Amino acid sequence: MLQANLNWSASLGADLDLGCLIELTDGSVHVVQALGNTFGALDAPPYVQLDQDDRTGASSDGETVRMNLEYRARVRRTLVYTFVYEGAVDFRSLSGVVTVTAPSGGLRILLDDAPAGATACAIASISSGPEGTVVRREVRWFTATRWQSNQQLIDQAYDFGVGWVWCVKD
């Protein structure tokens, strides 16, 4: 199992979200994130699942996406990202951290290191090949605009080709 966990300070009233873009070897593209209620599945496509939507940072477990490595041969690539859903103008001073844990090791990204105005971050790219599963640190910052969401900007930068629609949480 490979996993990425997001945690942040509850005292600041911000809602951060963790998500993934997944491209399978059959060419299909999937999104796993709380926004849109696309929580995924571990034993069916996309083989990635988000455990919960922590809307306040109060959960000691935060939000975690898990990738079932038993199906890694069916997954071409995955991109883990996080974004500010509401309650903050950027990541700075939220004490946010994303920890990626893989069988080969891990990485830890401190979101307070974001540039001013950054509302999203591509955390890590994951691919499978003959040498196994490769996790690459990305840490690429994005700033949503009135015309483009965080997810659209990340998708364009990494060329997943998702047809995004505007939505809000229930």
Side-chain angles (χ1 to χ4, degrees):
M1 193 73 60
L2 186 147
Q3 69 178 33
N5 174 265
L6 166 67
N7 256 302
W8 69 98
S9 174
S11 65
L12 300 168
D15 182 1
L16 304 184
D17 279 338
L18 187 63
C20 289
L21 291 167
I22 304 107
E23 181 183 7
L24 300 181
T25 55
D26 67 5
S28 63
V29 176
H30 302 262
V31 177
V32 170
Q33 63 178 19
L35 184 60
N37 293 315
T38 54
F39 285 85
L42 287 174
D43 294 322
Y47 313 110
V48 175
Q49 188 171 45
L50 175 65
D51 66 344
Q52 67 173 339
D53 180 16
D54 178 3
R55 294 187 179 196
T56 64
S59 170
S60 61
D61 294 333
E63 295 183 10
T64 302
V65 290
R66 291 179 176 83
M67 179 179 184
N68 189 340
L69 294 178
E70 290 180 33
Y71 297 98
R72 71 176 151 238
R74 297 181 188 178
V75 179
R76 181 170 290 130
R77 63 185 176 138
T78 302
L79 181 74
V80 178
Y81 61 87
T82 186
F83 63 97
V84 176
Y85 177 73
E86 66 182 3
V89 297
D90 59 27
F91 289 108
R92 297 174 310 154
S93 303
L94 296 177
S95 300
V97 62
V98 177
T99 305
V100 178
T101 308
S104 60
L107 54 99
R108 184 176 168 95
I109 309 301
L110 302 176
L111 301 176
D112 283 359
D113 293 340
T119 54
C121 183
I123 299 294
S125 58
I126 303 152
S127 58
S128 295
E131 67 282 351
T133 301
V134 177
V135 178
R136 186 174 142 216
R137 178 186 179 100
E138 294 290 330
V139 191
R140 189 167 170 190
W141 304 100
F142 299 87
T143 302
T145 68
R146 209 166 89 184
W147 301 275
Q148 290 190 296
S149 70
N150 291 306
Q151 294 90 329
Q152 286 173 307
L153 293 168
I154 293 169
D155 184 358
Q156 287 173 2
Y158 290 90
D159 197 28
F160 276 83
V162 175
W164 296 97
V165 296
W166 187 259
C167 68
V168 295
K169 292 184 180 181
D170 299 334

